[in-house]
Amino acid sequence: MDLLLNDSVREWQQKALEFTREELIPWEIEAEFNQGLVPPEVSKRHHQLAIELGFSKMDVPKQYGGLELGMTEQVAVWEQLGKVTNALCWCFSEAQQWMFEACSEFQIENYILPLMDGRRKECYAITEAGAGSNETILTSATKCDGGYKINGEKWYVTSANLADYFFLQAILENGDHALFLLDIDTPGAEVTANPLFSHTYAAHHPTYQFTDVFVPEGNRIGAQGEGMQYSRSWFRHERMMIAARCCGAATRLIAEATEFALNRDIQGEALSEKQAIQFMLADSATELWAARLMTFEAAEAHDRGEDLKQLHNRCSMAKLYASEMANRVADRAVQIFGGRGYMRENVAERYFRELRVDRIWEGTSEIQRLIIARSLLKRGLEEM
């Protein structure tokens, strides 16, 4: 299932594949049975290797020491990283291009560049209890002497237990959205819940309460009214990489289910000879092929510099289709493995739990459908 990718994309694809296969996958079972954790020395090695390979600076402009890779190279990397379970590929932070467009030089120096070399780690405090298809932000940012006072609650602050600062979204007194950089140990920022989830990740998703939390004026990102614009840039990027990881996950699931079916003997005949199994594998391979074509074409559209609204729509299409495809593939893989597929040590069981959230976070499947439908109704099929 090859794609017409240029030499640069193939080179990055191979780097990421080797890192995933040789460094990350061997530690999946250890992580699964130890709350997502691997030995500290292993975690440190993964972190250092990822930085040395350049994964943390793929999207960083060259003027800041980054690689300024195209979206196609980045998708190729995250597709391969998606072949490991337990979020072991989250072993590095990623500075993104929009951050350099939005942030001041002070913010870049103190918050963004340290992501690239591993000195700091970020988390995103955006989602709230009432979030839905509309951007529901109730957390307030009230102007005070030298900055703002933040009050509100944020849910699902992914990786907050490992991070040292937030990208925090709030509403100003005039109703504008604003985005802030906030050190995680600032007085008044408290964890009120740390719920368990279906997956087994070292990165948690706690709930935070912010009570009169002071954030300096210099930590506000961008100009008046631009906070949601930057959050949307982050969402576009994340939706593309979710689609890429889902393609990687489906690739691994199909490969392992196929190998099992070829070697599983059923009364003197390989399981793979059963038509029901062949149909499941055929559907999975076909849907994966479609998802990869869609995802890489959307990435290439970014690299061609196409219209931003069209790119937003394509990201939603790729995320919607790839995430739902991967869930169907995981379900079939569990069925092919049978009882083995229900064991936590089996890759299909882990993906069956882990992939489910890809249809929810960074915009549910339903939200993606709303975005796509609105684009169709406003612009027509040819201009989507």
Side-chain angles (χ1 to χ4, degrees):
M1 297 182 68
D2 206 2
L3 294 173
L4 294 175
L5 304 174
N6 64 40
D7 290 344
S8 175
V9 176
R10 290 188 180 281
E11 179 183 343
W12 281 98
Q13 186 181 55
Q14 187 61 31
K15 284 182 184 179
L17 173 60
E18 290 175 3
F19 176 67
T20 303
R21 185 173 54 202
E22 297 170 12
E23 292 291 337
L24 302 181
I25 288 177
W27 291 98
E28 289 175 317
I29 304 301
E30 174 86 11
E32 179 60 33
F33 293 106
N34 289 280
Q35 292 78 51
L37 300 172
V38 297
E41 65 274 14
V42 173
S43 178
K44 182 178 180 181
R45 185 176 78 243
H46 291 168
H47 179 68
Q48 291 175 334
L49 284 173
I51 290 172
E52 289 171 10
L53 287 166
F55 296 156
S56 62
K57 57 183 178 180
M58 293 188 292
D59 205 34
V60 176
K62 290 181 179 178
Q63 71 182 90
Y64 289 101
L67 299 171
E68 206 170 324
L69 296 183
M71 187 66 74
T72 312
E73 280 93 346
Q74 295 178 58
V75 161
V77 166
W78 279 107
E79 181 184 27
Q80 300 308 313
L81 293 175
K83 292 180 179 179
V84 65
T85 62
N86 299 90
L88 292 180
C89 62
W90 294 1
C91 55
F92 61 97
S93 288
E94 196 177 10
Q96 296 178 11
Q97 184 179 24
W98 70 265
M99 299 175 186
F100 295 88
E101 298 169 355
C103 293
S104 67
E105 287 302 317
F106 165 80
Q107 293 166 353
I108 290 170
E109 182 68 28
N110 289 278
Y111 289 93
I112 310 306
L113 291 179
L115 297 178
M116 190 168 72
D117 60 22
R119 286 177 289 139
R120 302 198 75 173
K121 183 169 179 58
E122 85 292 15
C123 62
Y124 291 82
I126 295 178
T127 305
E128 300 191 4
S133 58
N134 295 315
E135 291 144 346
T136 304
I137 303 294
L138 299 179
T139 296
S140 64
T142 305
K143 198 75 177 70
C144 66
D145 186 28
Y148 299 84
K149 288 289 181 70
I150 307 295
N151 285 280
E153 184 182 63
K154 294 294 184 180
W155 285 35
Y156 315 129
V157 187
T158 298
S159 298
N161 62 309
L162 305 174
D164 57 5
Y165 72 88
F166 305 97
F167 282 94
L168 184 141
Q169 191 158 10
I171 292 287
L172 302 176
E173 292 169 281
N174 66 357
D176 284 342
H177 288 265
L179 198 62
F180 298 91
L181 294 162
L182 177 65
D183 292 323
I184 209 161
D185 58 358
T186 303
E190 298 180 290
V191 176
T192 57
N194 193 18
L196 295 175
F197 289 82
S198 297
H199 50 229
T200 310
Y201 290 0
H204 299 169
H205 315 276
T207 303
Y208 265 84
Q209 183 69 42
F210 299 89
T211 306
D212 288 334
V213 177
F214 177 75
V215 56
E217 177 74 41
N219 280 33
R220 177 178 163 182
I221 297 174
Q224 184 84 9
E226 292 182 339
M228 185 55 74
Q229 170 189 328
Y230 301 133
S231 292
R232 286 174 180 154
S233 296
W234 177 70
F235 277 127
R236 277 195 304 275
H237 189 276
E238 290 305 302
R239 286 168 184 168
M240 282 299 302
M241 302 313 151
I242 287 171
R245 291 198 303 271
C246 284
C247 289
T251 299
R252 185 173 172 203
L253 282 163
I254 294 168
E256 297 216 11
T258 300
E259 182 180 6
F260 176 77
L262 285 166
N263 292 287
R264 173 66 167 153
D265 182 79
I266 304 294
Q267 296 179 334
E269 185 179 57
L271 180 62
S272 59
E273 293 300 312
K274 306 299 182 183
Q275 192 177 65
I277 302 300
Q278 293 177 355
F279 283 3
M280 284 192 277
L281 292 173
D283 285 344
S284 296
T286 301
E287 292 181 32
L288 171 60
W289 178 235
R292 293 191 74 218
L293 289 172
M294 184 181 295
T295 301
F296 275 93
E297 195 285 329
E300 290 171 358
H302 278 79
D303 294 339
R304 293 193 298 266
E306 296 197 9
D307 179 75
L308 188 62
K309 291 180 179 177
Q310 291 182 345
L311 296 178
H312 191 67
N313 181 64
R314 291 185 189 189
C315 288
S316 289
M317 286 181 160
K319 197 260 187 187
L320 170 66
Y321 188 80
S323 65
E324 298 205 342
M325 172 278 300
N327 274 258
R328 290 191 293 270
V329 171
D331 183 76
R332 295 179 192 127
V334 169
Q335 200 70 11
I336 290 169
F337 278 108
R340 291 170 176 80
Y342 209 58
M343 298 165 64
R344 287 173 63 190
E345 64 190 53
N346 186 287
V347 67
E349 190 277 342
R350 296 195 300 280
Y351 271 132
F352 187 75
R353 285 181 286 116
E354 293 181 12
L355 287 167
R356 186 61 182 84
V357 75
D358 287 318
R359 292 161 55 192
I360 297 174
W361 56 17
E362 318 331 344
T364 64
S365 289
E366 290 69 34
I367 288 177
Q368 307 313 318
R369 288 185 172 96
L370 284 173
I371 293 169
I372 296 162
R374 288 168 182 167
S375 178
L376 173 63
L377 294 171
K378 286 181 180 178
R379 300 176 185 87
L381 193 59
E382 294 300 320
E383 298 299 323
M384 288 179 69

